Amino acid sequence: RDAVDEHLFDGVPDRASVRAALELPQEQNLLLSAGHLYPRKGAGTLAAAAASVPGALFVFVGGTEEDRRAFADKWGTAANIRIVGHVPHGKVPLYLRAADLLVLPNSGKDEDASRFTSPMKLFEYMLSGTPIIASDVPALPEILDETTATLVPPDESAVLAEGIRASLGHLDEAHVRATAARSRAANYTWRKRVEVLLSVLYARNQP
């Protein structure tokens, strides 16, 4: 599995301050996906869901310049979609903190994306304390479950939109899951990984 820097969000201000700094609307519900725009990452599924949640702003952070242009050609005219493109990694925590919901819409049609992935952004999402909605593909429930995220079937924009509306309608419950996810993220820091590896190595070297 991948892991996360336990200090990633040190010094990141509150949501209102972050939104002001990033020139994002203060009152509008904000959905965010961080990462590449490859089809196997499900960005198109999330973009298609935006039409069914017109009151929310869907923000896409990341992607190569070529992929960003292609994605913008297809989805960029939607009034509630904003395509930010690549940002320095140090700025990603600001966007994660700004969101009401973080979305990880991996496709179930690609075996790598559904079974063998360990998205680094998953652990960053968890550590952020922002509610998560994710595809229910085999690789993700190894880490997430119904106590830490909202899981929905992959590749179905209507079902994803329904899950988004339900989460936005019950944000108190979503934040309870987000708090549990942040606590669980403590098991997936790079420091924790080093501790585990050192303990295994130490045990193997004992007479």
Side-chain angles (χ1 to χ4, degrees):
R1 301 183 183 96
D2 263 318
V4 65
D5 177 2
E6 61 196 282
H7 299 295
L8 186 65
F9 291 90
D10 289 359
V12 175
D14 61 86
R15 179 175 293 135
S17 300
V18 169
R19 288 193 180 192
L22 297 175
E23 299 182 347
L24 294 168
Q26 289 289 347
E27 303 301 326
Q28 192 173 13
N29 286 136
L30 194 155
L31 286 293
L32 188 136
S33 176
H36 280 291
L37 302 172
Y38 307 142
R40 68 177 181 270
K41 297 294 187 180
T45 301
L46 179 58
S52 299
V53 196
L57 179 63
F58 287 65
V59 179
F60 293 83
V61 177
T64 65
E65 183 59 26
E66 180 180 359
D67 289 341
R68 189 201 63 78
R69 286 196 300 267
F71 194 77
D73 286 344
K74 186 170 184 178
W75 303 106
T77 58
N80 65 331
I81 289 179
R82 184 177 300 186
I83 303 166
V84 175
H86 175 78
V87 300
H89 185 257
K91 199 172 182 179
V92 170
L94 301 178
Y95 281 97
L96 301 188
R97 184 61 56 81
D100 291 295
L101 286 177
L102 299 172
V103 189
L104 207 166
N106 277 32
S107 174
K109 298 177 181 178
D110 182 279
E111 193 171 31
D112 286 341
S114 64
R115 291 187 176 276
F116 305 123
T117 187
S118 179
M120 192 172 294
K121 67 181 177 183
L122 166 60
F123 304 101
E124 295 181 352
Y125 279 16
M126 294 170 68
L127 191 63
S128 74
T130 304
I132 300 168
I133 184 165
S135 293
D136 191 6
V137 294
L140 299 186
E142 287 188 11
I143 309 299
L144 297 175
D145 56 32
E146 67 279 356
T147 70
T148 53
T150 298
L151 299 175
V152 298
D155 305 303
E156 298 183 30
S157 60
V159 177
L160 178 56
E162 182 180 347
I164 289 170
R165 290 193 299 268
S167 294
L168 292 175
H170 300 87
L171 275 176
D172 287 346
E173 296 175 13
H175 279 287
V176 170
R177 292 190 290 271
T179 298
R182 183 169 55 192
S183 296
R184 187 173 295 181
N187 296 320
Y188 299 104
T189 65
W190 294 114
R191 179 185 296 274
K192 186 69 173 180
R193 172 172 289 184
V194 169
E195 290 174 354
V196 170
L197 289 174
L198 288 176
S199 67
V200 171
L201 292 171
Y202 179 78
R204 287 183 175 178
N205 284 287
Q206 293 307 296

